mmCIF file of all heavy atoms in Angstrom:
data_model
loop_
_atom_site.group_PDB
_atom_site.id
_atom_site.type_symbol
_atom_site.label_atom_id
_atom_site.label_comp_id
_atom_site.label_asym_id
_atom_site.label_seq_id
_atom_site.Cartn_x
_atom_site.Cartn_y
_atom_site.Cartn_z
ATOM 1 N N LYS A 10 114.700 73.770 108.350
ATOM 2 C CA LYS A 10 115.809 72.818 108.618
ATOM 3 C C LYS A 10 116.767 72.772 107.415
ATOM 4 O O LYS A 10 117.983 72.739 107.584
ATOM 5 C CB LYS A 10 115.278 71.448 108.976
ATOM 6 C CG LYS A 10 114.652 71.394 110.332
ATOM 7 C CD LYS A 10 114.084 70.015 110.634
ATOM 8 C CE LYS A 10 113.388 70.024 112.001
ATOM 9 N NZ LYS A 10 112.768 68.725 112.326
ATOM 10 N N LEU A 11 116.201 72.723 106.189
ATOM 11 C CA LEU A 11 117.049 72.715 105.010
ATOM 12 C C LEU A 11 117.832 74.015 104.899
ATOM 13 O O LEU A 11 119.012 74.012 104.561
ATOM 14 C CB LEU A 11 116.240 72.455 103.740
ATOM 15 C CG LEU A 11 117.060 72.417 102.450
ATOM 16 C CD1 LEU A 11 118.080 71.268 102.477
ATOM 17 C CD2 LEU A 11 116.155 72.258 101.249
ATOM 18 N N ILE A 12 117.168 75.137 105.162
ATOM 19 C CA ILE A 12 117.850 76.433 105.098
ATOM 20 C C ILE A 12 118.988 76.461 106.140
ATOM 21 O O ILE A 12 120.069 76.954 105.824
ATOM 22 C CB ILE A 12 116.827 77.590 105.306
ATOM 23 C CG1 ILE A 12 115.981 77.722 104.030
ATOM 24 C CG2 ILE A 12 117.520 78.896 105.636
ATOM 25 C CD1 ILE A 12 114.821 78.676 104.155
ATOM 26 N N ASP A 13 118.746 75.952 107.336
ATOM 27 C CA ASP A 13 119.802 75.883 108.350
ATOM 28 C C ASP A 13 120.967 75.038 107.846
ATOM 29 O O ASP A 13 122.140 75.402 108.013
ATOM 30 C CB ASP A 13 119.282 75.315 109.659
ATOM 31 C CG ASP A 13 118.397 76.263 110.431
ATOM 32 O OD1 ASP A 13 118.389 77.484 110.100
ATOM 33 O OD2 ASP A 13 117.703 75.808 111.372
ATOM 34 N N GLU A 14 120.658 73.877 107.252
ATOM 35 C CA GLU A 14 121.681 72.983 106.707
ATOM 36 C C GLU A 14 122.506 73.690 105.628
ATOM 37 O O GLU A 14 123.740 73.619 105.608
ATOM 38 C CB GLU A 14 121.062 71.705 106.156
ATOM 39 C CG GLU A 14 122.061 70.743 105.586
ATOM 40 C CD GLU A 14 121.419 69.512 104.939
ATOM 41 O OE1 GLU A 14 120.214 69.251 105.152
ATOM 42 O OE2 GLU A 14 122.154 68.827 104.205
ATOM 43 N N MET A 15 121.814 74.388 104.719
ATOM 44 C CA MET A 15 122.493 75.091 103.640
ATOM 45 C C MET A 15 123.350 76.219 104.156
ATOM 46 O O MET A 15 124.445 76.469 103.666
ATOM 47 C CB MET A 15 121.477 75.599 102.640
ATOM 48 C CG MET A 15 120.740 74.500 101.866
ATOM 49 S SD MET A 15 119.401 75.141 100.830
ATOM 50 C CE MET A 15 120.380 75.711 99.406
ATOM 51 N N THR A 16 122.864 76.913 105.203
ATOM 52 C CA THR A 16 123.631 78.008 105.792
ATOM 53 C C THR A 16 124.880 77.473 106.467
ATOM 54 O O THR A 16 125.974 78.005 106.264
ATOM 55 C CB THR A 16 122.746 78.757 106.810
ATOM 56 O OG1 THR A 16 121.600 79.280 106.132
ATOM 57 C CG2 THR A 16 123.502 79.919 107.455
ATOM 58 N N LYS A 17 124.763 76.405 107.258
ATOM 59 C CA LYS A 17 125.911 75.817 107.953
ATOM 60 C C LYS A 17 126.930 75.271 106.964
ATOM 61 O O LYS A 17 128.122 75.284 107.223
ATOM 62 C CB LYS A 17 125.456 74.716 108.916
ATOM 63 C CG LYS A 17 124.751 75.285 110.121
ATOM 64 C CD LYS A 17 124.209 74.196 111.028
ATOM 65 C CE LYS A 17 123.410 74.800 112.170
ATOM 66 N NZ LYS A 17 122.609 73.821 112.880
ATOM 67 N N ALA A 18 126.464 74.772 105.811
ATOM 68 C CA ALA A 18 127.383 74.245 104.774
ATOM 69 C C ALA A 18 128.028 75.358 103.950
ATOM 70 O O ALA A 18 128.885 75.093 103.131
ATOM 71 C CB ALA A 18 126.605 73.287 103.843
ATOM 72 N N GLY A 19 127.631 76.603 104.197
ATOM 73 C CA GLY A 19 128.170 77.724 103.439
ATOM 74 C C GLY A 19 127.650 77.825 102.043
ATOM 75 O O GLY A 19 128.228 78.511 101.190
ATOM 76 N N VAL A 20 126.529 77.190 101.769
ATOM 77 C CA VAL A 20 125.935 77.162 100.424
ATOM 78 C C VAL A 20 124.975 78.320 100.229
ATOM 79 O O VAL A 20 125.003 79.000 99.196
ATOM 80 C CB VAL A 20 125.218 75.812 100.186
ATOM 81 C CG1 VAL A 20 124.426 75.831 98.883
ATOM 82 C CG2 VAL A 20 126.201 74.666 100.201
ATOM 83 N N LEU A 21 124.100 78.565 101.202
ATOM 84 C CA LEU A 21 123.040 79.565 101.062
ATOM 85 C C LEU A 21 123.596 80.975 101.262
ATOM 86 O O LEU A 21 124.167 81.282 102.293
ATOM 87 C CB LEU A 21 121.920 79.309 102.074
ATOM 88 C CG LEU A 21 120.715 80.214 101.930
ATOM 89 C CD1 LEU A 21 119.989 80.003 100.588
ATOM 90 C CD2 LEU A 21 119.745 79.964 103.070
ATOM 91 N N LEU A 22 123.390 81.829 100.268
ATOM 92 C CA LEU A 22 123.794 83.216 100.342
ATOM 93 C C LEU A 22 122.611 84.118 100.679
ATOM 94 O O LEU A 22 122.764 85.097 101.417
ATOM 95 C CB LEU A 22 124.425 83.681 99.022
ATOM 96 C CG LEU A 22 125.664 82.859 98.589
ATOM 97 C CD1 LEU A 22 126.148 83.318 97.214
ATOM 98 C CD2 LEU A 22 126.768 82.967 99.616
ATOM 99 N N ASP A 23 121.413 83.806 100.124
ATOM 100 C CA ASP A 23 120.225 84.595 100.395
ATOM 101 C C ASP A 23 119.019 83.808 99.924
ATOM 102 O O ASP A 23 119.100 82.988 98.988
ATOM 103 C CB ASP A 23 120.302 85.949 99.674
ATOM 104 C CG ASP A 23 119.229 86.942 100.128
ATOM 105 O OD1 ASP A 23 118.678 86.768 101.234
ATOM 106 O OD2 ASP A 23 118.953 87.872 99.370
ATOM 107 N N THR A 24 117.862 84.031 100.529
ATOM 108 C CA THR A 24 116.605 83.413 100.094
ATOM 109 C C THR A 24 115.451 84.213 100.619
ATOM 110 O O THR A 24 115.546 84.895 101.634
ATOM 111 C CB THR A 24 116.486 81.957 100.579
ATOM 112 O OG1 THR A 24 115.316 81.371 99.995
ATOM 113 C CG2 THR A 24 116.422 81.850 102.075
ATOM 114 N N ALA A 25 114.317 84.149 99.894
ATOM 115 C CA ALA A 25 113.096 84.802 100.333
ATOM 116 C C ALA A 25 111.945 84.384 99.435
ATOM 117 O O ALA A 25 112.159 84.013 98.287
ATOM 118 C CB ALA A 25 113.248 86.338 100.335
ATOM 119 N N GLY A 26 110.766 84.482 99.963
ATOM 120 C CA GLY A 26 109.564 84.363 99.173
ATOM 121 C C GLY A 26 109.167 85.746 98.726
ATOM 122 O O GLY A 26 109.631 86.755 99.253
ATOM 123 N N LEU A 27 108.306 85.795 97.718
ATOM 124 C CA LEU A 27 107.841 87.087 97.188
ATOM 125 C C LEU A 27 106.344 87.229 97.425
ATOM 126 O O LEU A 27 105.620 86.228 97.440
ATOM 127 C CB LEU A 27 108.154 87.170 95.693
ATOM 128 C CG LEU A 27 109.625 87.069 95.311
ATOM 129 C CD1 LEU A 27 109.776 87.040 93.787
ATOM 130 C CD2 LEU A 27 110.447 88.186 95.915
ATOM 131 N N THR A 28 105.891 88.454 97.594
ATOM 132 C CA THR A 28 104.457 88.693 97.780
ATOM 133 C C THR A 28 103.720 88.331 96.491
ATOM 134 O O THR A 28 104.338 88.281 95.413
ATOM 135 C CB THR A 28 104.191 90.173 98.122
ATOM 136 O OG1 THR A 28 104.682 91.000 97.077
ATOM 137 C CG2 THR A 28 104.823 90.562 99.455
ATOM 138 N N PRO A 29 102.415 88.074 96.563
ATOM 139 C CA PRO A 29 101.649 87.723 95.363
ATOM 140 C C PRO A 29 101.710 88.842 94.310
ATOM 141 O O PRO A 29 101.940 89.996 94.613
ATOM 142 C CB PRO A 29 100.209 87.573 95.893
ATOM 143 C CG PRO A 29 100.365 87.338 97.361
ATOM 144 C CD PRO A 29 101.613 88.056 97.778
ATOM 145 N N THR A 30 101.477 88.436 93.059
ATOM 146 C CA THR A 30 101.532 89.399 91.974
ATOM 147 C C THR A 30 100.487 90.517 92.128
ATOM 148 O O THR A 30 100.668 91.592 91.616
ATOM 149 C CB THR A 30 101.324 88.723 90.588
ATOM 150 O OG1 THR A 30 100.065 88.057 90.572
ATOM 151 C CG2 THR A 30 102.437 87.737 90.315
ATOM 152 N N ALA A 31 99.430 90.231 92.867
ATOM 153 C CA ALA A 31 98.399 91.252 93.106
ATOM 154 C C ALA A 31 98.997 92.474 93.801
ATOM 155 O O ALA A 31 98.468 93.573 93.694
ATOM 156 C CB ALA A 31 97.259 90.701 93.940
ATOM 157 N N GLN A 32 100.107 92.266 94.508
ATOM 158 C CA GLN A 32 100.752 93.367 95.230
ATOM 159 C C GLN A 32 101.972 93.930 94.477
ATOM 160 O O GLN A 32 102.670 94.798 94.965
ATOM 161 C CB GLN A 32 101.203 92.892 96.604
ATOM 162 C CG GLN A 32 100.035 92.441 97.483
ATOM 163 C CD GLN A 32 100.497 91.799 98.770
ATOM 164 O OE1 GLN A 32 101.607 92.014 99.208
ATOM 165 N NE2 GLN A 32 99.673 90.940 99.315
ATOM 166 N N GLY A 33 102.203 93.416 93.262
ATOM 167 C CA GLY A 33 103.367 93.828 92.498
ATOM 168 C C GLY A 33 103.048 94.876 91.432
ATOM 169 O O GLY A 33 101.895 95.221 91.184
ATOM 170 N N THR A 34 104.090 95.366 90.820
ATOM 171 C CA THR A 34 103.991 96.327 89.721
ATOM 172 C C THR A 34 105.013 95.897 88.659
ATOM 173 O O THR A 34 106.142 95.549 88.980
ATOM 174 C CB THR A 34 104.306 97.749 90.194
ATOM 175 O OG1 THR A 34 103.358 98.106 91.210
ATOM 176 C CG2 THR A 34 104.253 98.757 89.065
ATOM 177 N N ARG A 35 104.570 95.956 87.403
ATOM 178 C CA ARG A 35 105.472 95.645 86.277
ATOM 179 C C ARG A 35 105.862 96.950 85.601
ATOM 180 O O ARG A 35 105.005 97.787 85.332
ATOM 181 C CB ARG A 35 104.780 94.789 85.255
ATOM 182 C CG ARG A 35 104.740 93.337 85.582
ATOM 183 C CD ARG A 35 104.300 92.536 84.368
ATOM 184 N NE ARG A 35 104.248 91.144 84.784
ATOM 185 C CZ ARG A 35 103.457 90.251 84.230
ATOM 186 N NH1 ARG A 35 102.652 90.607 83.252
ATOM 187 N NH2 ARG A 35 103.471 89.017 84.660
ATOM 188 N N VAL A 36 107.143 97.082 85.335
ATOM 189 C CA VAL A 36 107.665 98.203 84.548
ATOM 190 C C VAL A 36 108.197 97.583 83.256
ATOM 191 O O VAL A 36 109.064 96.689 83.295
ATOM 192 C CB VAL A 36 108.787 98.967 85.315
ATOM 193 C CG1 VAL A 36 109.289 100.121 84.476
ATOM 194 C CG2 VAL A 36 108.287 99.421 86.684
ATOM 195 N N HIS A 37 107.663 98.016 82.123
ATOM 196 C CA HIS A 37 107.955 97.395 80.828
ATOM 197 C C HIS A 37 108.502 98.449 79.858
ATOM 198 O O HIS A 37 107.961 99.548 79.805
ATOM 199 C CB HIS A 37 106.679 96.751 80.266
ATOM 200 C CG HIS A 37 106.860 96.082 78.958
ATOM 201 N ND1 HIS A 37 107.456 94.846 78.827
ATOM 202 C CD2 HIS A 37 106.511 96.454 77.703
ATOM 203 C CE1 HIS A 37 107.494 94.517 77.566
ATOM 204 N NE2 HIS A 37 106.922 95.455 76.854
ATOM 205 N N LEU A 38 109.553 98.043 79.115
ATOM 206 C CA LEU A 38 110.105 98.924 78.088
ATOM 207 C C LEU A 38 109.856 98.288 76.733
ATOM 208 O O LEU A 38 110.217 97.128 76.500
ATOM 209 C CB LEU A 38 111.610 99.110 78.316
ATOM 210 C CG LEU A 38 112.337 99.922 77.243
ATOM 211 C CD1 LEU A 38 111.903 101.379 77.270
ATOM 212 C CD2 LEU A 38 113.856 99.808 77.444
ATOM 213 N N SER A 39 109.252 99.035 75.830
ATOM 214 C CA SER A 39 109.009 98.557 74.470
ATOM 215 C C SER A 39 109.074 99.746 73.539
ATOM 216 O O SER A 39 108.400 100.765 73.763
ATOM 217 C CB SER A 39 107.633 97.902 74.376
ATOM 218 O OG SER A 39 107.371 97.476 73.058
ATOM 219 N N GLY A 40 109.883 99.650 72.503
ATOM 220 C CA GLY A 40 110.032 100.730 71.570
ATOM 221 C C GLY A 40 110.492 102.037 72.196
ATOM 222 O O GLY A 40 110.129 103.105 71.734
ATOM 223 N N GLY A 41 111.261 101.927 73.255
ATOM 224 C CA GLY A 41 111.787 103.094 73.942
ATOM 225 C C GLY A 41 110.796 103.757 74.898
ATOM 226 O O GLY A 41 111.113 104.781 75.483
ATOM 227 N N LYS A 42 109.601 103.178 75.036
ATOM 228 C CA LYS A 42 108.584 103.739 75.936
ATOM 229 C C LYS A 42 108.357 102.822 77.121
ATOM 230 O O LYS A 42 108.260 101.609 76.961
ATOM 231 C CB LYS A 42 107.265 103.949 75.205
ATOM 232 C CG LYS A 42 107.385 104.999 74.090
ATOM 233 C CD LYS A 42 106.069 105.190 73.413
ATOM 234 C CE LYS A 42 106.250 106.237 72.289
ATOM 235 N NZ LYS A 42 104.995 106.569 71.654
ATOM 236 N N LEU A 43 108.252 103.455 78.287
ATOM 237 C CA LEU A 43 107.996 102.702 79.524
ATOM 238 C C LEU A 43 106.486 102.674 79.814
ATOM 239 O O LEU A 43 105.802 103.666 79.598
ATOM 240 C CB LEU A 43 108.693 103.349 80.729
ATOM 241 C CG LEU A 43 110.185 103.174 80.826
ATOM 242 C CD1 LEU A 43 110.735 103.995 81.985
ATOM 243 C CD2 LEU A 43 110.540 101.705 81.031
ATOM 244 N N SER A 44 106.043 101.540 80.320
ATOM 245 C CA SER A 44 104.694 101.439 80.848
ATOM 246 C C SER A 44 104.763 100.822 82.226
ATOM 247 O O SER A 44 105.653 100.012 82.520
ATOM 248 C CB SER A 44 103.782 100.604 79.940
ATOM 249 O OG SER A 44 104.245 99.269 79.876
ATOM 250 N N VAL A 45 103.885 101.226 83.108
ATOM 251 C CA VAL A 45 103.839 100.727 84.466
ATOM 252 C C VAL A 45 102.431 100.181 84.702
ATOM 253 O O VAL A 45 101.428 100.858 84.492
ATOM 254 C CB VAL A 45 104.153 101.875 85.478
ATOM 255 C CG1 VAL A 45 104.064 101.368 86.889
ATOM 256 C CG2 VAL A 45 105.529 102.458 85.193
ATOM 257 N N THR A 46 102.383 98.899 85.165
ATOM 258 C CA THR A 46 101.117 98.237 85.398
ATOM 259 C C THR A 46 101.100 97.621 86.779
ATOM 260 O O THR A 46 102.021 96.848 87.128
ATOM 261 C CB THR A 46 100.896 97.110 84.328
ATOM 262 O OG1 THR A 46 101.070 97.647 83.035
ATOM 263 C CG2 THR A 46 99.532 96.486 84.485
ATOM 264 N N ASP A 47 100.087 97.928 87.560
ATOM 265 C CA ASP A 47 99.932 97.292 88.870
ATOM 266 C C ASP A 47 99.280 95.921 88.719
ATOM 267 O O ASP A 47 98.473 95.678 87.823
ATOM 268 C CB ASP A 47 99.072 98.158 89.792
ATOM 269 C CG ASP A 47 99.794 99.428 90.220
ATOM 270 O OD1 ASP A 47 101.025 99.386 90.317
ATOM 271 O OD2 ASP A 47 99.139 100.447 90.452
ATOM 272 N N GLY A 48 99.646 94.990 89.635
ATOM 273 C CA GLY A 48 99.078 93.646 89.643
ATOM 274 C C GLY A 48 97.664 93.666 90.156
ATOM 275 O O GLY A 48 97.180 94.700 90.628
ATOM 276 N N PRO A 49 96.954 92.563 90.059
ATOM 277 C CA PRO A 49 97.448 91.292 89.546
ATOM 278 C C PRO A 49 97.562 91.282 88.042
ATOM 279 O O PRO A 49 96.988 92.106 87.370
ATOM 280 C CB PRO A 49 96.366 90.307 90.012
ATOM 281 C CG PRO A 49 95.116 91.090 90.089
ATOM 282 C CD PRO A 49 95.552 92.502 90.473
ATOM 283 N N PHE A 50 98.324 90.360 87.554
ATOM 284 C CA PHE A 50 98.593 90.259 86.133
ATOM 285 C C PHE A 50 97.812 89.063 85.584
ATOM 286 O O PHE A 50 98.206 87.921 85.770
ATOM 287 C CB PHE A 50 100.094 90.109 85.870
ATOM 288 C CG PHE A 50 100.921 91.141 86.638
ATOM 289 C CD1 PHE A 50 101.812 90.743 87.612
ATOM 290 C CD2 PHE A 50 100.756 92.470 86.379
ATOM 291 C CE1 PHE A 50 102.545 91.683 88.309
ATOM 292 C CE2 PHE A 50 101.471 93.446 87.090
ATOM 293 C CZ PHE A 50 102.377 93.026 88.051
ATOM 294 N N ALA A 51 96.679 89.340 84.929
ATOM 295 C CA ALA A 51 95.753 88.307 84.492
ATOM 296 C C ALA A 51 96.401 87.281 83.571
ATOM 297 O O ALA A 51 96.090 86.104 83.642
ATOM 298 C CB ALA A 51 94.561 88.964 83.777
ATOM 299 N N GLU A 52 97.337 87.717 82.752
ATOM 300 C CA GLU A 52 97.956 86.763 81.812
ATOM 301 C C GLU A 52 99.027 85.900 82.439
ATOM 302 O O GLU A 52 99.503 84.950 81.835
ATOM 303 C CB GLU A 52 98.556 87.539 80.614
ATOM 304 C CG GLU A 52 99.821 88.322 80.894
ATOM 305 C CD GLU A 52 99.632 89.660 81.595
ATOM 306 O OE1 GLU A 52 98.495 90.067 81.862
ATOM 307 O OE2 GLU A 52 100.620 90.280 81.894
ATOM 308 N N ALA A 53 99.393 86.165 83.686
ATOM 309 C CA ALA A 53 100.453 85.430 84.342
ATOM 310 C C ALA A 53 99.898 84.127 84.921
ATOM 311 O O ALA A 53 99.014 84.149 85.767
ATOM 312 C CB ALA A 53 101.082 86.266 85.446
ATOM 313 N N LYS A 54 100.406 83.007 84.437
ATOM 314 C CA LYS A 54 100.047 81.732 85.029
ATOM 315 C C LYS A 54 101.146 81.303 85.991
ATOM 316 O O LYS A 54 100.912 81.129 87.174
ATOM 317 C CB LYS A 54 99.844 80.658 83.925
ATOM 318 C CG LYS A 54 99.459 79.305 84.486
ATOM 319 C CD LYS A 54 99.239 78.289 83.388
ATOM 320 C CE LYS A 54 98.717 76.977 83.892
ATOM 321 N NZ LYS A 54 99.519 76.294 84.839
ATOM 322 N N GLU A 55 102.346 81.179 85.470
ATOM 323 C CA GLU A 55 103.487 80.764 86.273
ATOM 324 C C GLU A 55 104.289 82.018 86.613
ATOM 325 O O GLU A 55 104.712 82.726 85.718
ATOM 326 C CB GLU A 55 104.331 79.758 85.496
ATOM 327 C CG GLU A 55 105.368 79.082 86.323
ATOM 328 C CD GLU A 55 106.156 78.072 85.508
ATOM 329 O OE1 GLU A 55 106.855 78.481 84.575
ATOM 330 O OE2 GLU A 55 106.031 76.884 85.798
ATOM 331 N N VAL A 56 104.474 82.289 87.887
ATOM 332 C CA VAL A 56 105.197 83.488 88.310
ATOM 333 C C VAL A 56 106.332 83.121 89.251
ATOM 334 O O VAL A 56 106.340 82.036 89.838
ATOM 335 C CB VAL A 56 104.270 84.521 88.994
ATOM 336 C CG1 VAL A 56 103.168 84.960 88.045
ATOM 337 C CG2 VAL A 56 103.667 83.951 90.262
ATOM 338 N N ILE A 57 107.270 84.026 89.461
ATOM 339 C CA ILE A 57 108.356 83.807 90.425
ATOM 340 C C ILE A 57 107.752 84.025 91.810
ATOM 341 O O ILE A 57 107.272 85.082 92.135
ATOM 342 C CB ILE A 57 109.526 84.787 90.183
ATOM 343 C CG1 ILE A 57 110.050 84.708 88.757
ATOM 344 C CG2 ILE A 57 110.631 84.531 91.189
ATOM 345 C CD1 ILE A 57 110.619 83.365 88.354
#
């Protein structure tokens, strides 16, 4: 209902939920080197 209200008001441009971090992959650059790590990410407490 809130999404409908925001859409009708012309406020909402896009929205979505994301799959759990267990299904994600991190790509990290450090010192010019890339690393790729599949989830879950043990150190992650608060995630998007």
Side-chain angles (χ1 to χ4, degrees):
K10 288 179 183 177
L11 180 62
I12 287 172
D13 287 346
E14 179 184 346
M15 293 174 80
T16 300
K17 288 176 185 166
V20 172
L21 185 65
L22 301 175
D23 192 20
T24 186
L27 301 175
T28 59
T30 59
Q32 298 172 24
T34 300
R35 280 192 181 152
V36 181
H37 180 76
L38 176 68
S39 178
K42 295 182 181 184
L43 285 174
S44 63
V45 178
T46 308
D47 289 329
F50 311 116
E52 73 282 357
K54 180 179 186 301
E55 192 178 65
V56 299
I57 305 298

